[in-house]
Every structure is written in C-alpha cells, then in structure tokens.
Amino acid sequence: DAKTTQPPSMDCAEGRAANLPCNHSTISGNEYVYWYRQIHSQGPQYIIHGLKNNETNEMASLIITEDRKSSTLILPHATLRDTAVYYCIVRVYNNNDMRFGAGTRLTVKP
Amino acid sequence: GAVVSQHPSWVICKSGTSVKIECRSLDFQATTMFWYRQFPKQSLMLMATSNEGSKATYEQGVEKDKFLINHASLTLSTLTVTSAHPEDSSFYICSARDWGQGRSGNTIYFGEGSWLTVV
C-alpha cells in the first residue's frame, strides 16, 4: 500500500471547518483513500473513504485531487468532540489489513 | 456503521499469568479480524491477522507463542497474552472487515480497545 504524509498537528476553532490534508503521491490506480479518527483511549472510528470522486457523508467530506496524489478531509463545523488523531490510509480495496501512520492530531478550541 | 465489541475494556493481571481478550462482530460476520497494539503516544501497530477456521498470520517480530489468537467462529476472535510481563502492558485493539453491501462494504471497523496492565 502507498504511504501517506500528514501534518503532525492542527488547530481549529469550534464551529469552523476543519480541513485536514493528506499527501499520497505514490498512490496506485486501485488504491482507495480511507480516513479514520481516534479519540483518546478509544478504538479508531471509520469516517469516510473514496477512490477518485469526492465523497460526503453525515460526518465529513472527502476531496480527492484529480491526479489523486492528495486529499483533504473536511469537517464542516468542528466541535470540541472532534478533537482526535486523524489517520489517512491508502489501501487496495480488497486488501486485508489497515496500516496506520502517525496521523494528524486535531485540536478543536473554543 | 457496523459494530465491533471488545471485552474486557481494561484488565490488570499479575506478571506471569495469562489474560484473554475477546473481539466480537455484533451485526455482521467477519471471516477476518485483526489485532493491533498501541503504546502511549504512538500509532497502532498491526500484530496479526486472524482468519476464521485457520491459523493466524503474525507480523514480523510478533511472538506467536506469546500472543495466541483463536478465531473459532465468524463473530469471535480471541487474543491471549501468555506469561504476561509488564512490558506487555498496552492498549490492544481489534478490528473486523465487513463485506456487507453498499459503500461500507469491505470497510474495517474497530473495537473500543482493551487496556492491559501487567503488574
């Protein structure tokens, strides 16, 4: 699976949009982009995934660049409960496991 | 989304004893489950892949005789830490792959994690 690069930390004001970038310049054509988050002392929570089209669900939006070398996870109205470590993972759809990098520690401030 | 449950949430055991952690997929069948370990302020590290009805596949450097994995049914995998030592104290997390229909198909869901403290 392709490697990803994320900033180690970000801050966001409560109520504002949080935009978390991820670089995956070596992504292959059959690899999806997955986003998970881990709130302190809990297991990771699935957020969203996509291949090449932008995706949106009740939690977030995923914007993937046309060349698929980078993506952005958008939390439209961040709350204090969104404070967590966010992981961007690139993985072949039928591949078994999910391997985690260091992620981005997002802190939402009042 | 699908639900994966772990038990116990936290456990304290004496050095030299064994402890078992259960991982259940509550609303889907999981032929494959995964076990991770996470030390404080570090990312998750994959330990092994648990396959229903067959032997688990361990990552390099993980002792299979120390971390026994059993996947006896389509909804349950167990991790047994044998002869536990203080350095085994960690946050253990399982996950399971949901092959269900729709966009969530082939998404991996994680349990709540289990804190192990060996004293």
Side-chain angles (χ1 to χ4, degrees), chain B residues 20-75:
Chain B
K20 180 186 289 186
I21 300 171
E22 294 186 345
C23 177
R24 296 181 184 272
S25 55
L26 297 185
D27 51 359
F28 65 99
Q29 293 183 331
T31 56
T32 306
M33 292 184 173
F34 309 92
W35 288 95
Y36 294 79
R37 180 168 55 183
Q38 186 176 32
F39 292 109
K41 297 188 178 181
Q42 294 186 22
S43 189
L44 286 79
M45 288 180 49
L46 180 66
M47 298 175 66
T49 300
S50 168
N51 300 299
E52 188 268 336
S54 63
K55 292 184 178 180
T57 304
Y58 290 81
E59 294 297 302
Q60 191 174 10
V62 178
E63 299 176 59
K64 59 183 177 182
D65 294 330
K66 181 169 185 61
F67 299 99
L68 300 179
I69 292 172
N70 183 275
H71 193 155
S73 77
L74 288 173
T75 60

Side-chain angles (χ1 to χ4, degrees), chain A residues 36 38 49 93 96 98 101, chain B residues 36 38 43 103 105-106 108:
Chain A
Y36 284 78
Q38 187 178 25
H49 74 278
Y93 191 71
N96 266 326
M98 197 71 72
Chain B
Y36 294 79
Q38 186 176 32
S43 189
R103 292 213 78 249
N106 196 23
I108 293 180

Side-chain angles (χ1 to χ4, degrees), chain A:
Chain A
D1 292 339
K3 291 186 183 289
T4 62
T5 303
Q6 299 178 252
S9 64
M10 292 181 63
D11 290 344
C12 176
E14 187 179 19
R16 305 296 290 269
N19 298 287
L20 293 93
C22 179
N23 182 287
H24 31 79
S25 58
T26 61
I27 192 170
S28 299
N30 62 345
E31 289 180 315
Y32 283 67
V33 180
Y34 286 80
W35 282 84
Y36 284 78
R37 72 180 182 184
Q38 187 178 25
I39 295 170
H40 184 61
S41 297
Q42 297 182 23
Q45 177 188 22
Y46 166 78
I47 301 174
I48 199 167
H49 74 278
L51 180 62
K52 55 182 179 181
N53 297 322
N54 297 337
E55 301 290 345
T56 295
N57 62 20
E58 63 278 3
M59 289 183 67
S61 294
L62 173 60
I63 308 298
I64 302 174
T65 58
E66 193 169 341
D67 63 8
R68 301 210 320 122
K69 293 185 177 182
S70 66
S71 61
T72 301
L73 178 75
I74 301 173
L75 307 178
H77 305 287
T79 70
L80 299 179
R81 286 179 293 182
D82 291 322
T83 292
V85 178
Y86 287 76
Y87 296 98
C88 168
I89 300 167
V90 173
R91 168 179 171 261
V92 176
Y93 191 71
N94 288 326
N95 195 10
N96 266 326
D97 55 55
M98 197 71 72
R99 296 183 186 256
F100 290 78
T104 296
R105 182 173 297 278
L106 174 69
T107 303
V108 181
K109 298 184 175 181

